[in-house]
Every structure is written in structure tokens, then in C-alpha cells.
Amino acid sequence: MDIADNELHLTMASEDYLECIVRLEQERHGADGVRSVDIATQLDVSKASVNKAISVLKAQGMVEQAPYGKVTLTAAGREAGEAVWRRHRLLRSFLVQELGVPFERADAEACQMEHALSQDTMDRWLDYLEQQNVCITEE
């Protein structure tokens, strides 16, 4: 499944959930899934909100979850989540490295910016930033 086919259907919240799952997997050095409670903690939302979001993402083929089990990304979900996380890191790095924005504010603003632009504009901007040697920070 091509990410471009699904992007029109992903809300900002859905993208945030996918990004969160990718980040949690990376922090825990494993792709065996993440617990709903960890997603809730990371995003500062209720477990009920996570359950609702996971249901939507399951219906879209982005995640899988056995009853009371860990949430795992499908190939399409991983591709979408990694793309959002990459955009976030590159935008945050630009704000910090090139504009001198404090890290915490840059992180919060990058989260908003990663959703605000069309995919075409975002791709062009990211290509430009990479050509300018803006290095992605991993924090």
C-alpha cells in the first residue's frame, strides 16, 4: 500500500499517533509493539482516547492490535509514521540550527508545522533543507 494513497485520509491526530508509536518503538529498541498506556502517557491523553484512535487506525490498515495486546504498525502505518517523524525532526532542526529557536519551542512548533503544509510543499522544503545541509537531530 502506497503512503500517498492514505495520506489524504490521515488526520493530524492520526499522524500524531503513528509518529508516537514510531518514536516509542525507537526508544525501546524493538518493533514488537507498544502498549496503549505508553501512547497515552507520551501524548498526554486518556487511555479511552488512545483506544478510539487505534480503532480508527486499525480500520485504515495502519496498525494491528490483538485484544488487550500491544499496538503494532503495519507496513503502511510504519511508512506514514516514519515520514511524519522525519518531517518533525528536520523542521525542528531547522528552527534550532538556522533560526536559533529554543529546542522546546522548536519541538512544539515543528509538531504543528508538520501537519500544516501540503505534501508537495513539505517535500520541496525538506529537499531544500537537506541541500542546505540542515542536519536532523535525533532528540
Side-chain angles (χ1 to χ4, degrees):
M1 183 180 296
D2 186 12
I3 188 171
D5 295 338
N6 286 317
E7 272 189 329
L8 297 176
H9 306 294
L10 290 177
T11 64
M12 289 172 49
S14 291
E15 286 184 343
D16 284 340
Y17 278 93
L18 293 171
E19 177 186 11
C20 177
I21 295 166
V22 166
R23 292 174 76 169
L24 287 169
E25 283 183 350
Q26 289 177 357
E27 288 171 11
R28 287 161 176 72
H29 305 291
D32 65 335
V34 297
R35 300 178 314 157
S36 294
V37 67
D38 294 332
I39 298 169
T41 301
Q42 181 80 23
L43 294 176
D44 196 25
V45 298
S46 70
K47 183 117 173 5
S49 293
V50 172
N51 290 337
K52 183 177 178 181
I54 295 305
S55 293
V56 170
L57 291 169
K58 279 170 51 176
Q60 292 178 314
M62 296 287 156
V63 300
E64 295 174 345
Q65 182 186 32
Y68 305 105
K70 290 184 177 181
V71 178
T72 57
L73 294 164
T74 63
R78 180 168 313 287
E79 185 178 352
E82 287 176 351
V84 175
W85 180 221
R86 178 178 171 272
R87 289 193 310 252
H88 181 108
R89 290 178 296 146
L90 193 51
L91 292 167
R92 181 183 62 201
S93 295
F94 170 75
L95 294 172
V96 170
Q97 294 171 22
E98 301 299 316
L99 301 182
V101 175
F103 182 87
E104 292 300 322
R105 189 171 76 205
D107 192 53
E109 291 176 353
C111 188
Q112 294 171 342
M113 293 168 67
E114 69 194 20
H115 306 293
L117 301 174
S118 70
Q119 188 61 48
D120 178 61
T121 300
M122 182 62 73
D123 289 342
R124 290 169 189 254
W125 192 11
L126 295 177
D127 288 344
Y128 173 79
L129 293 176
E130 288 175 339
Q131 290 171 9
Q132 300 304 309
N133 295 317
V134 172
C135 299
I136 294 176
T137 57
E138 295 298 324
E139 290 183 55

